[in-house]
Amino acid sequence: MSRKYPAFLNLENKNILLIGGGKVALEKLPHLIDCGAKITIITLEACKEVTSILEKHSEIKIEYRSVDFSDLQGRALVFSATNDSELNRRLCEYAHSWKIWINCADDPSNCDFYSAAVLDRGPLRIAISTEGNFAGLSGVVKSALDELIPNDHEEDFQELIEFRKELKSILPDADRRKRVLKNLLQTLKEEYFSASTNQK
């Protein structure tokens, strides 16, 4: 079986449909908000945590009703956060007929792409995925990375990004610039990550 291609999607201002308003939808919603997506939720009811998020984000459209297959038309992506495998199968068929990608939570056979456990450290974003097969394992790996890369180093990573940008004007020679960056990253690996691991 072929492996899935890892990628980060630009969903800013993209029309996204989220079906369901329970705990599974709650896992998807914050990341979609962070992406700047145009979100529509269709659900019979919403859990209190989702309702709380909606109170703070009036830009999110929510409709309390059953989903209709025509609701998928015009969407950039569709997320089905239901536990109805038959509904997922039919949603997947309709999505594919309109060439729309769909993710059905905890239902890998009806997914064109998979969500991931995500670690954010300023400009550094790490996604961990088991391709929909074992979300708990992704969570464990994320927890280990949480300990390895603490929150208080976000500014350091941002400074590294800014330094790399500035280096292009300081060192226009690509080969010299590459050597400097390589040495810098090697120092980071030896002094920071090795030290963090040895403290365990």
Side-chain angles (χ1 to χ4, degrees):
M1 183 178 179
S2 60
R3 303 299 300 271
K4 304 302 182 289
Y5 184 82
F8 285 88
L9 304 179
N10 179 6
L11 298 185
E12 188 172 7
N13 293 320
K14 297 294 193 301
N15 193 343
I16 306 299
L17 175 62
L18 175 59
I19 303 165
K23 300 294 186 182
V24 177
L26 180 62
E27 295 175 2
K28 313 289 184 186
L29 198 50
H31 291 302
L32 290 173
I33 292 171
D34 287 345
C35 289
K38 288 184 176 180
I39 307 165
T40 299
I41 301 174
I42 297 178
T43 183
L44 294 175
E45 56 184 0
C47 68
K48 62 180 181 180
E49 292 88 353
V50 168
T51 301
S52 178
I53 290 175
L54 294 174
E55 290 173 353
K56 299 172 185 175
H57 292 276
S58 58
E59 74 277 9
I60 299 175
K61 181 180 179 182
I62 184 163
E63 299 180 18
Y64 291 98
R65 60 176 176 82
S66 297
V67 67
D68 188 275
F69 296 116
S70 63
D71 292 319
L72 279 64
Q73 289 182 317
R75 311 294 181 177
L77 290 177
V78 175
F79 292 83
S80 176
T82 77
N83 58 2
D84 188 334
S85 58
E86 177 57 22
L87 175 61
N88 285 343
R89 184 189 65 78
R90 295 176 67 193
L91 286 168
C92 190
E93 287 181 356
Y94 273 82
H96 289 172
S97 71
W98 290 315
K99 302 187 186 309
I100 298 168
W101 282 19
I102 185 169
N103 170 278
C104 297
D106 298 321
D107 192 353
S109 63
N110 288 309
C111 286
D112 295 306
F113 62 97
Y114 303 98
S115 298
V118 178
L119 177 77
D120 279 309
R121 292 294 182 268
L124 181 66
R125 169 165 270 209
I126 302 170
I128 307 107
S129 173
T130 59
E131 298 185 356
N133 292 303
F134 194 175
L137 178 57
S138 298
V140 168
V141 174
K142 179 189 171 184
S143 295
L145 289 173
D146 261 322
E147 295 182 19
L148 179 64
I149 312 173
N151 274 316
D152 54 4
H153 287 278
E154 288 189 12
E155 290 186 8
D156 296 333
F157 291 133
Q158 186 60 53
E159 287 178 5
L160 283 172
I161 297 292
E162 295 304 320
F163 175 72
R164 181 181 181 274
K165 292 177 182 177
E166 293 174 8
L167 202 60
K168 287 188 175 181
S169 59
I170 298 171
L171 283 179
D173 182 86
D175 289 335
R176 290 185 63 195
R177 190 166 65 242
K178 183 177 179 180
R179 286 196 298 271
V180 170
L181 290 172
K182 185 176 180 180
N183 290 335
L184 178 63
L185 292 173
Q186 183 62 32
T187 300
L188 177 70
K189 178 181 176 182
E190 292 174 354
E191 295 187 6
Y192 175 67
F193 290 112
S194 295
S196 298
T197 303
N198 291 335
Q199 289 173 5
K200 305 300 179 188

